[in-house]
Amino acid sequence: MKAAVLVFPGSNREGDIARAIELVTARKPQMVWHGDGDFDAADLIVVPGGFSYGDYLRCGAMAAQSPVMAEVKRRAARGVPVLGVCNGFQIITEAGLLPGVLMRNRQLKFICGDVHLRVETGQSLFTNRYQSGQVIRVPVAHAEGNYFADAETLRRLEDRGQVAFRYCAPDGTRGGTGNPNGSINDIAGVFNEGKTVLGMMPHPENAIEPLFGGGDGRGLFEGLVEALS
Amino acid sequence: MKARVHVTLKNGVLDPQGKAIGHSLNRLGFPEVGEVRQGKFIELELAGTDAAAARTRLDEMCRKLLANTVIENYSIEILS
Amino acid sequence: MKARVHVTLKNGVLDPQGKAIGHSLNRLGFPEVGEVRQGKFIELELAGTDAAAARTRLDEMCRKLLANTVIENYSIEILS
Amino acid sequence: MSSERNPPVKLPNEPAITPAIVAEHGLAPDEYQRLLRIMGRDPTLVELGIFSAMWSEHCSYKSSKVWLKKLPTEAPWVIQGPGENAGVIDIGDGEACVFKMESHNHPSYIEPYQGAATGVGGILRDVFTMGARPIANLNALRFGDPAHPKTRHLVSGVVAGIAGYGNCMGIPTVGGETNFHAAYNGNILVNAMTVGVAQADRIFYARATGVGNPLVYVGSKTGRDGIHGATMSSTEFSEDSESKRPTVQVGDPFVEKLLLEACLELMATDAIVAIQDMGAAGLTSSSFEMAAKGDLGVEVELDRVPMRETGMNPYELMLSESQERMLIVLKPGREELARKIFEKWELDFAVIGRLTDSGRMVLRWHGDVVGNIPIPPLVTEAPMYKRPWTPTPLPAQVQSASVSDPKDWKASLLRLMSCPDLASKAWIWKQYDHLIMGNTAIRPQDGDAALVRVPGSQKALALTSDCTPRYVQAHPETGGRQAVAEAWRNITATGALPLAITDNMNFGNPQKPEIMGQFAGAITGMAEACRALDFPVVSGNVSLYNETEGRPILPTPTIGAVGLLQDVARGVGARLTQGGLALVLIGRTTGWLGQSLALRELHGREDGAPPPVDLALERRNGDFVRSRIAARDVVACHDLSDGGLLVALAEMCVAGGTGATIEVPPDAAMRQGWLYGEDQARYLIATRDAAPLLEAAHAAGVEARRIGVSGGDTLAVRGLLEIGLAELRSAHEEWLPAYMNAAA
Ligand SMILES: Nc1ncnc2c1ncn2[C@@H]1O[C@H](COP(=O)(O)OP(=O)(O)O)[C@@H](O)[C@H]1O
Ligand SMILES: [Mg+2]
């Protein structure tokens, strides 16, 4: 699998996700600077976490307008898979690749720590290594992860099975204190209609080694390799 | 020229910041405070003197960057 | 009653957000944009009908919570 | 060559230098006389400003220098001790660890969010200036009484500010400490520490060389921020300090992130001769120090400095403390290479001057010389005081008989676990991204020190910050010794080898002999401990005048420490995660209650002598514990400090979700002292089999005893108390969030 990881001014988890990809694929991803409207063909485009443009104005808004994102939109339209994590989720949502928005966390605070996620479907490029309904533990680290979509959009998302992950308790029960940010319907990650684009707030790339927070995130990268190689 | 853009959340969109502010004010001894909504405004210095043209450009800036029209409304004022 | 509070950074205080927005607009094809400053505004529903009294209370709210008077100025409007 | 023969021109509207203006600049009359002698004429305003900044307590260390010299700073693994932007130690494999701690106390009291944020920004720059990529941040915070009307607002702002800056930079904040005491009501402490890693042969220093080499300014533009911040942080607070507000600086972590990446990119080329961040006293101290260290002169064209505002003058440019700026001396001809890098990262870049052989700092403004100061005398003749000091006498020991047992043991433990100093600080560290970079092996609360893998290796750094101000207040020498010993112990408890420390000396007004006595005592104690534990000081910071209306803070010499573990997989935390483990207490227990938290929280007393620190015993016990961890004999380990044995055990149970049962030995002099006393040099270890551990301890001459076993979902002390873990956890975890969410 050939992956491209975008880098914006203020990106800061690009190294984490590049390392996760390298661990799983034994191949360094290509790092793509935001000003490059053209980059080598890739099997997967990753928009990493961080504070692109300082998260000023709205998280992801300025990065969404960069030349590289115009190209990402073109390729996504052709079916090239795109993974946006955290700030990357915010960026691809601002860019219109996914519906909805990410608002300030309910408590208005940055929150970092492990959360539990219920994998809503094991049937996608991104989740084929997980069982539908499986609970995994991965960290979050964000101040704006409170997913919101209007009622109509939400209904469409749910009807078409576009919710990828939901926050839950360790036993898989939805919501309650398992939801760290107030996301509507406990949504932690969503797909586009074709399930070729995934945006998620939690960080699977920080859950790939048992000594450093557990290995539950590894399956996502392994699944991608399997699907895309 | 100087212009000012106000960006507000659309009705029906939950405003966690506004809600928290309202809560805090109630607790701080301001029970008279009901609903609170927070927005932002952006003041811009613009080259040029044609107010109508500026307004068109500002509208473009809002749609492209300053507001997320999925959840936000915006309004434009030319100040001088 | 409805009131609106505008909160702005004092002159001379660095506005990282405004700076980044200005930069972005320039890059996005709006070279006419010069300095940009960002502020916030807060709309409040207030119980009561006495505008003068409300203004006093709002002033207190600003100093206590809504503005950080070390680096910000605020202004109060009673809307209705 | 510019010289004294060209007196500077006066600028329009420049005020005459009056005694009032001199006083406003914080220069004592005799210091001003010294200035006149050096200059041989009246200074211009900008020159006066420069002297004032350079001779401020903050930049010159005039009250503390004579004492700081007593700290040991050398060891075979020390690459760079105090005197540079940060200390540097060798961590093997051609790598070095670069670290330092710095205070931002006064600014954080005035504007907690920005004050704390720019504190983090400043210490990050100190570390990456030296060529290191930061890999971890820590923060040591002291707030006033939780009941004081300002405390909640200060906690909220400071924590948000540290989070706002560190998270945006993408550096994990992995540890720290947080205390509350009324002595900090008007004067909080915000001490921030950054730890970075560099190639040992690619360290960058501030010493300028090469006459004619260009002086380059990079980063953000200069505004009128924090003009006279260095002088402000060197004077006492008064009620009207609120009027000094415009000196607050606003940080831009986004720009700092770009600056970090741009600097590291430039450092990977061979273009740099010297580099120095612009911290306190901005352009003044950075240009001065670079030239002084290289025995050179410098000429600066101030009109070329990138300016954020119109109408700025030389005085403002030299003294502004705008953030996110660096000064670099480049090799000749590398200007374009450097410019390209900084422009790629969308940062300002300007060649603003050059090095000269004149030994003078010459400032030009649109061609005219507006300042002309000889550099060496400003350094060599800087005021240095051996201020009068009176030692703090050792208080009488608390007599055990004067302290009755708690009526309700269970309530006593719940009370301690939920008291502000011991309650979980999760509300704080959850706002900090402590996981980014994917190297955090021991997270906050899971061990005595954070354990962070050195990127790309199997090695890990153990990081902690420690100080027990109430001990220092009671007896500074003992307190200084204890702060160093606890830091050493916390690193040892993870299995790592303690290597070196940075210190942050927070004290009151040094012109009072009793305060100076606290300083002297603490330094003496620290120096002894550093020597006995092979734990040199490689960097540090002094913050004096932490007083409001004449009331000083508790003397707080915060110790930030670094240790090394060769294999991160061998590290142990403090979490008790399984039943059936034997609990072994290492060290001698006398039941010392003087200055203990139990005495304060359960009996309302803050008196007595603090627990004595026997450094030979610390060393013996610690070396033993580390050797047993290396031998894989230890499942979990926690050092005993605040709250003593029972609190340490309760913390282990709560963190790991497993209960325990222990028994007070029949020979314990006093149950309360045994459970809550704060005797030093002790550890609590969980091990699969106690026998070999006890045997090894015996052979090493280390006191050790089996006190109980892990398991179940309660914490029990036979015959005294039994508490369900859930209840214990709530008591521990709910206090801070409940406090922060309560109405002001
Ligand atoms: N301000 C803070 N920032 C980050 N972590 C903190 C802070 N305050 C406390 N902690 C964490 O909470 C835990 C308990 O702190 P403390 O009681 O001081 O530990 P110890 O007694 O082991 O030195 C530690 O893991 C510490 O790193
Ligand atoms: Mg400790």
Side-chain angles (χ1 to χ4, degrees):
Chain A
M1 180 183 78
K2 225 177 125 190
V5 176
L6 309 189
V7 185
F8 298 95
S11 292
N12 64 22
R13 259 187 170 90
E14 76 278 15
D16 299 33
I17 210 155
R19 202 161 50 83
I21 291 170
E22 197 185 338
L23 266 178
V24 171
T25 63
R27 183 167 180 181
K28 275 194 183 9
Q30 182 196 356
M31 306 305 279
V32 179
W33 185 239
H34 69 111
D36 299 343
D38 193 19
F39 55 95
D40 294 350
D43 306 315
L44 170 73
I45 298 171
V46 176
V47 192
F51 286 66
S52 58
Y53 297 96
D55 270 1
Y56 299 145
L57 188 63
R58 285 185 321 280
C59 301
M62 296 185 211
Q65 302 299 330
S66 59
V68 80
M69 280 311 294
E71 176 63 13
V72 170
K73 281 198 257 186
R74 278 191 290 274
R75 295 195 191 183
R78 293 203 308 262
V80 176
V82 177
L83 169 65
V85 174
C86 199
N87 191 224
F89 186 13
Q90 295 161 343
I91 294 169
I92 61 178
T93 308
E94 278 279 348
L97 283 171
L98 291 171
V101 287
L102 291 140
M103 310 200 25
R104 242 356 232 293
N105 292 350
R106 182 181 40 198
Q107 315 79 342
L108 307 186
K109 286 185 181 55
F110 190 96
I111 166 111
C112 176
D114 285 340
V115 298
H116 290 90
L117 300 179
R118 203 174 77 187
V119 182
E120 292 297 295
T121 170
Q123 248 130 48
S124 79
L125 287 173
F126 303 92
T127 55
N128 61 64
R129 277 293 172 100
Y130 302 109
Q131 306 294 318
S132 301
Q134 184 180 342
V135 175
I136 61 173
R137 184 172 53 101
V138 292
V140 289
H142 61 248
E144 271 103 355
N146 183 351
Y147 186 78
F148 176 84
D150 60 49
E152 177 52 38
T153 309
L154 202 58
R155 189 161 345 105
R156 235 180 316 126
L157 278 176
E158 295 284 3
D159 288 351
R160 295 179 181 165
Q162 284 176 246
V163 176
F165 301 102
R166 282 186 223 274
Y167 299 109
C168 65
D171 66 1
T173 326
R174 252 181 68 178
T177 51
N179 180 340
N181 53 29
S183 282
I184 199 158
N185 289 13
D186 306 313
I187 290 173
V190 295
F191 295 117
N192 65 343
E193 261 190 73
K195 295 204 176 67
T196 54
V197 176
L198 168 65
M200 63 190 295
M201 287 315 293
H203 292 284
E205 75 274 27
N206 285 140
I208 48 165
E209 295 171 278
L211 270 179
F212 305 89
D216 284 1
R218 206 175 168 118
L220 187 137
F221 299 99
E222 287 171 347
L224 278 166
V225 172
E226 194 169 293
L228 299 176
S229 298
Chain B
M1 214 174 350
K2 244 194 151 120
R4 192 139 86 156
V5 172
H6 276 83
V7 180
T8 50
L9 281 172
K10 286 185 177 164
N11 274 337
V13 176
L14 178 84
D15 174 8
Q17 269 155 300
K19 221 169 97 182
I21 294 172
H23 243 95
S24 290
L25 287 172
N26 291 156
R27 265 199 328 225
L28 280 174
F30 301 99
E32 72 266 40
V33 175
E35 211 201 327
V36 175
R37 307 276 290 172
Q38 176 170 322
K40 55 192 158 216
F41 71 95
I42 299 149
E43 283 180 334
L44 309 97
E45 294 277 0
L46 298 173
T49 51
D50 179 344
R55 193 173 282 278
T56 317
R57 295 284 283 172
L58 283 162
D59 196 70
E60 212 182 320
M61 292 180 212
C62 286
R63 279 179 293 110
K64 265 206 173 158
L65 184 71
L66 301 179
N68 178 345
T69 50
V70 176
I71 48 165
E72 291 172 332
N73 292 323
Y74 60 87
S75 67
I76 296 168
E77 269 171 285
I78 305 282
L79 296 180
S80 61
Chain C
M1 211 172 355
K2 242 192 151 126
R4 190 137 88 155
V5 173
H6 275 87
V7 181
T8 50
L9 281 170
K10 287 185 180 165
N11 271 338
V13 173
L14 174 73
D15 177 5
Q17 306 226 43
K19 206 170 96 183
I21 295 170
H23 247 95
S24 261
L25 286 173
N26 292 155
R27 250 198 324 255
L28 279 177
F30 301 99
E32 72 266 40
V33 175
E35 212 198 330
V36 175
R37 308 276 288 172
Q38 175 169 329
K40 61 183 171 215
F41 71 96
I42 298 147
E43 284 180 335
L44 309 95
E45 293 279 359
L46 297 173
T49 51
D50 179 345
R55 192 173 283 278
T56 317
R57 295 283 284 172
L58 281 162
D59 196 70
E60 213 183 319
M61 293 180 212
C62 284
R63 277 178 294 108
K64 271 202 171 158
L65 184 76
L66 302 180
N68 175 353
T69 51
V70 179
I71 50 173
E72 293 172 332
N73 292 323
Y74 60 87
S75 67
I76 296 169
E77 270 171 286
I78 306 283
L79 296 181
S80 60
Chain D
M1 192 175 103
S2 322
S3 75
E4 308 84 314
R5 277 171 289 125
N6 308 334
V9 299
K10 279 206 160 196
L11 292 161
N13 304 327
E14 182 166 340
I17 306 297
T18 61
I21 286 186
V22 172
E24 251 174 61
H25 280 78
L27 286 174
D30 57 319
E31 291 173 348
Y32 187 64
Q33 287 313 310
R34 197 181 292 214
L35 175 158
L36 290 177
R37 218 165 43 241
I38 291 171
M39 294 297 289
R41 59 171 166 79
D42 283 348
T44 60
L45 189 63
V46 61
E47 290 169 339
L48 177 67
I50 289 168
F51 271 89
S52 150
M54 293 303 295
W55 285 2
S56 71
E57 194 65 62
H58 195 91
C59 293
S60 74
Y61 289 83
K62 59 191 169 192
S63 302
S64 56
K65 216 171 205 160
V66 292
W67 289 103
L68 294 175
K69 284 185 185 150
K70 299 190 184 294
L71 294 169
T73 60
E74 286 173 10
W77 54 89
V78 173
I79 296 175
Q80 175 66 53
E84 273 287 339
N85 284 302
V88 185
I89 57 173
D90 191 339
I91 54 169
D93 309 311
E95 288 177 309
C97 172
V98 179
F99 66 101
K100 186 171 190 260
M101 185 183 275
E102 199 159 72
S103 64
H104 230 207
N105 303 335
H106 293 78
S108 300
Y109 182 78
I110 293 172
E111 207 314 89
Y113 184 99
Q114 295 297 344
T118 52
V120 174
I123 192 62
L124 278 164
R125 280 194 299 284
D126 272 335
V127 167
F128 72 76
T129 306
M130 300 204 67
R133 180 173 283 280
I135 63 161
N137 281 332
L138 289 92
N139 61 105
L141 311 177
R142 321 276 164 189
F143 297 105
D145 184 349
H148 188 273
K150 275 204 142 154
T151 302
R152 190 177 282 102
H153 161 76
L154 290 167
V155 174
S156 156
V158 164
V159 171
I162 291 171
Y165 211 101
N167 296 350
C168 182
M169 287 293 291
I171 315 300
T173 301
V174 297
E177 45 180 346
T178 312
N179 289 163
F180 296 85
H181 192 282
Y184 304 103
N185 279 353
N187 229 296
I188 61 171
L189 302 183
V190 175
N191 296 173
M193 172 171 165
T194 293
V195 181
V197 172
Q199 262 175 265
D201 59 356
R202 300 285 295 160
I203 306 288
F204 290 83
Y205 296 99
R207 195 172 80 87
T209 57
V211 171
N213 279 346
L215 186 69
V216 165
Y217 170 116
V218 300
S220 274
K221 291 183 171 37
T222 298
R224 294 189 173 95
D225 312 86
I227 289 173
H228 264 185
T231 338
M232 170 176 95
S233 64
S234 302
T235 47
E236 234 176 273
F237 260 18
S238 61
E239 289 295 348
D240 78 345
S241 59
E242 316 263 316
S243 63
K244 291 189 174 141
R245 278 172 168 183
T247 58
V248 170
Q249 312 132 36
V250 168
D252 187 345
F254 169 57
V255 166
E256 176 117 326
K257 168 71 173 161
L258 304 182
L259 188 60
L260 163 68
E261 298 302 338
C263 284
L264 291 180
E265 195 172 323
L266 181 63
M267 285 164 170
T269 73
D270 68 342
I272 297 177
V273 171
I275 176 165
Q276 164 88 36
D277 71 299
M278 293 190 226
L283 195 49
T284 291
S285 68
S286 53
S287 55
F288 222 96
E289 279 168 23
M290 288 214 286
K293 284 185 171 147
D295 289 320
L296 290 174
V298 62
E299 216 167 300
V300 184
E301 312 216 21
L302 286 170
D303 44 291
R304 295 204 194 163
V305 172
M307 291 171 231
R308 197 171 79 220
E309 295 172 52
T310 49
M312 291 191 70
N313 61 40
Y315 180 90
E316 292 167 330
L317 290 166
M318 285 306 286
L319 293 166
S320 161
E321 293 192 348
S322 288
Q323 300 290 296
E324 294 95 22
R325 303 178 301 160
M326 291 267 190
L327 204 57
I328 304 177
V329 176
L330 288 177
K331 290 186 184 162
R334 304 300 157 87
E335 293 91 327
E336 283 319 302
L337 167 84
R339 180 190 302 277
K340 279 214 182 75
I341 292 176
F342 285 92
E343 284 178 354
K344 168 186 160 196
W345 289 99
E346 303 179 16
L347 295 162
D348 274 288
F349 176 99
V351 178
I352 61 164
R354 58 189 184 90
L355 299 179
T356 69
D357 59 4
S358 69
R360 301 183 75 88
M361 171 184 265
V362 176
L363 306 175
R364 288 183 190 277
W365 182 243
H366 300 288
D368 291 333
V369 171
V370 293
N372 187 338
I373 302 177
I375 293 172
L378 203 134
V379 178
T380 54
E381 290 175 46
M384 169 126 93
Y385 300 118
K386 173 129 204 197
R387 299 203 187 269
W389 60 286
T390 49
T392 311
L394 185 65
Q397 205 173 321
V398 166
Q399 296 304 309
S400 307
S402 74
V403 193
S404 55
D405 271 358
K407 281 191 205 68
D408 181 343
W409 285 98
K410 180 176 165 181
S412 73
L413 179 58
L414 289 173
R415 167 91 197 234
L416 277 169
M417 287 295 283
S418 62
C419 79
D421 277 353
L422 287 177
S424 166
K425 303 302 181 303
W427 184 90
I428 294 174
W429 53 256
K430 280 189 173 169
Q431 294 185 55
Y432 302 155
D433 191 336
H434 50 279
L435 301 175
I436 190 165
M437 291 184 163
N439 293 315
T440 312
I442 298 184
R443 304 178 180 191
Q445 212 159 295
D446 288 352
D448 277 307
L451 199 59
V452 179
R453 172 172 56 186
V454 175
S457 79
Q458 271 299 106
K459 290 181 297 192
L461 297 175
L463 310 170
T464 182
S465 93
D466 290 281
C467 180
T468 314
R470 61 181 190 280
Y471 294 173
V472 191
Q473 167 91 355
H475 190 243
E477 213 171 304
T478 306
R481 231 182 271 144
Q482 194 275 341
V484 174
E486 185 176 345
W488 189 83
R489 221 154 53 214
N490 281 337
I491 285 175
T492 292
T494 65
L497 182 68
L499 287 181
I501 66 171
T502 178
D503 66 67
N504 203 144
M505 308 293 289
N506 307 276
F507 288 77
N509 181 347
Q511 299 178 39
K512 296 181 183 168
E514 65 279 13
I515 299 286
M516 212 51 230
Q518 292 175 339
F519 192 90
I523 289 274
T524 306
M526 286 163 56
E528 286 166 5
C530 290
R531 278 202 186 86
L533 302 172
D534 277 331
F535 211 22
V537 178
V538 296
S539 57
N541 175 245
V542 177
S543 169
L544 301 174
Y545 298 96
N546 289 290
E547 303 203 353
T548 303
E549 309 286 303
R551 286 185 306 275
I553 58 162
L554 299 184
T556 311
T558 311
I559 305 298
V562 173
L564 179 66
L565 190 63
Q566 290 302 335
D567 179 0
V568 63
R570 296 285 190 102
V572 302
R575 301 166 68 222
L576 214 48
T577 53
Q578 47 178 301
L581 300 175
L583 300 172
V584 175
L585 173 61
I586 304 289
R588 184 186 309 150
T589 302
T590 70
W592 194 279
L593 284 172
Q595 294 298 336
S596 68
L597 275 187
L599 196 63
R600 188 178 89 193
E601 298 296 323
L602 307 177
H603 303 276
R605 291 172 55 179
E606 297 186 50
D607 65 327
V613 181
D614 177 338
L615 293 165
L617 192 65
E618 284 286 356
R619 174 109 207 197
R620 183 156 12 104
N621 293 357
D623 288 347
F624 171 74
V625 167
R626 201 176 317 106
S627 72
R628 296 328 295 170
I629 293 174
R632 303 197 174 219
D633 230 8
V634 176
V635 179
C637 179
H638 195 4
D639 92 302
L640 303 197
S641 52
D642 284 346
L645 172 62
L646 191 54
V647 163
L649 178 58
E651 288 172 347
M652 294 174 81
C653 291
V654 167
T658 305
T661 303
I662 61 168
E663 201 159 350
V664 182
D667 60 347
M670 183 200 178
R671 289 181 300 184
Q672 183 166 211
W674 194 79
L675 289 168
Y676 294 137
E678 296 181 3
D679 291 289
Q680 299 293 297
R682 296 187 303 158
Y683 303 79
L684 184 56
I685 286 178
T687 179
R688 284 188 193 87
D689 183 3
L693 185 70
L694 294 174
E695 209 170 288
H698 185 76
V702 167
E703 278 186 51
R705 113 187 264 165
R706 187 177 190 283
I707 59 161
V709 61
S710 71
D713 52 9
T714 64
L715 170 59
V717 182
R718 270 216 186 98
L720 291 188
L721 69 95
E722 179 161 8
I723 307 182
L725 280 194
E727 187 177 3
L728 197 56
R729 172 173 296 119
S730 326
H732 188 48
E733 290 179 354
E734 277 169 14
W735 178 78
L736 187 54
Y739 169 69
M740 292 309 298
N741 293 332

